[in-house]
Amino acid sequence: MVVGMRTLTLGTTGPTTSALGLGCMGMSALYGEADRAESVATIHAALEAGVTLLDTGDFYAMGHNELLIGEALRSAPAARREQALTSVKFGALRDPDGGWAGYDGRPAAVRNFAAYSLKRLGVDHIDVYRIARLDPDVPVEETVGAIAELVEKGHVRHIGLSEVGADTLRRAAAVAPVSDLQIEYSLVSRGIEDEILPTAAELGIGVTAYGVLSRGLISGHFTRDRQLAAGDFRSMSPRFQGDNLQRNLDLVDALRKIADGKGVSVAQTAIAWVLAQGPKSGAAIVPLVGARRRDRLSEALGALDVTLDGADLAAIEQAVPAAAVAGARYPEAQMAHLDSEH
């Protein structure tokens, strides 16, 4: 680990990781075209800065993202490569036209998905392995049990979950140790605070928080007149539509005043807010930043140097109240797949 990088242990059984993780999805999918060379350079820069947790999904551009990470790891200095931790989501079913066809959590499928991920990543084990969304047709106990078997065989180090509710979290943890829950959490996505986050803290399960900038919405870089590229997920996201977008960017303007007063960026303020919720909640929370470029990565890393005192947190709460965001975090059809929302 790079000297000076803050670290956290994911839950009572999970790995020790950098206080920020790198979410790699946008380097391959859902946010328009990405520059492959810049993506690899960004992963290298993250590793050099002491970021150890690299998060991906085997279905991100049908394996492209795993291959990209594998390329970056192979070309990274040995010391940095050895410190890297891979966090992989599996289970999403795709078709040749890019469509989505649900999730598969059957034990045989779990083993199959893992075999392909190990090959694409070019590693002998996956550090944290989790189904991306709960398969409604397969008890979570069976899916987690299959991952536990992979742990026993050395193919996986730790069991994770993604976007599940408190009851599912308890059922899974009764089968085998769960290191962390990956779930959306940000200033404008705070649904986990009522039940899910306290349950994770009680069970000794860490949280890897994605969407900490709400897909760029509260980054301070998204403008009111921005035209999204073809294939950009945000063109279908309710929070980026019409009046919703304008109302949400009003919240960003309010947050900007606080950030300006501290001499930091809006993105750094939003990330620092998530970091501050860990000690407050009793759970280890590691924000995943979806930087696709080195300059955005550098900005995100600056959040580690931002201190928010009680007055700052109160001001942020007033500027962006918990229920102030306009629009759901996913389109209705995708919300239906979220066990965490039911």
Side-chain angles (χ1 to χ4, degrees), residues 20 186-187 212-214 216-222 252 255-256 258-260 264-275 287 289-291 295-304 306 308 316:
L20 286 182
S186 73
L187 265 170
V212 293
L213 297 179
S214 195
L217 180 64
I218 58 172
S219 67
H221 301 298
F222 202 95
V252 177
L255 185 62
R256 192 186 306 276
I258 298 169
D260 288 347
V264 299
S265 74
V266 174
Q268 288 168 340
T269 304
I271 296 168
W273 181 89
V274 176
L275 284 165
V289 296
D295 58 337
R296 292 287 192 253
L297 172 67
S298 179
E299 179 185 25
L301 289 171
L304 293 169
V306 177
L308 300 176
I316 291 170

Side-chain angles (χ1 to χ4, degrees), residues 13 107 138-152 159-161 167-179 203 205:
T13 64
V138 178
V140 70
E141 291 86 351
E142 293 185 18
T143 303
V144 168
I147 304 174
E149 291 177 3
L150 292 172
V151 173
E152 290 175 4
I159 301 169
L161 291 166
D167 179 63
T168 301
L169 205 55
R170 291 185 188 281
R171 288 169 52 198
V175 174
V178 175
S179 69
L203 296 174
I205 296 172

Side-chain angles (χ1 to χ4, degrees), residues 130-136 138-141 143-144 160-173 178 180-184 191-192 195-197 199-200 203 205-207 210 329 337-342:
R130 71 188 88 238
I131 190 164
R133 300 287 186 269
L134 189 67
D135 181 344
V138 178
V140 70
E141 291 86 351
T143 303
V144 168
L161 291 166
S162 177
E163 286 290 354
V164 300
D167 179 63
T168 301
L169 205 55
R170 291 185 188 281
R171 288 169 52 198
V178 175
D180 78 295
L181 169 65
Q182 187 170 124
I183 197 162
E184 185 167 355
I192 72 170
E195 188 177 6
I196 296 173
L197 190 53
T199 301
L203 296 174
I205 296 172
V207 172
Y210 76 89
R329 55 195 183 102
H337 291 292
L338 299 178
D339 180 69
S340 54
E341 293 286 339
H342 301 297

Side-chain angles (χ1 to χ4, degrees), residues 51-80:
V51 173
T52 57
L53 187 64
L54 304 178
D55 184 76
T56 185
D58 63 9
F59 50 92
Y60 292 163
M62 284 74 146
H64 177 279
N65 203 236
E66 289 183 319
L67 291 168
L68 180 73
I69 291 173
E71 176 185 338
L73 290 176
R74 285 192 304 275
S75 54
R80 299 290 175 249

Side-chain angles (χ1 to χ4, degrees), residues 233 236-238 328-336:
F233 160 81
M236 299 179 291
S237 172
R329 55 195 183 102
Y330 285 102
E332 185 175 352
Q334 293 183 38
M335 289 292 287

Side-chain angles (χ1 to χ4, degrees), residues 2-25:
V2 172
V3 175
M5 171 56 73
R6 287 160 50 187
T7 62
L8 288 170
T9 299
L10 287 174
T12 56
T13 64
T16 296
T17 179
S18 50
L20 286 182
L22 182 63
C24 299
M25 180 188 73

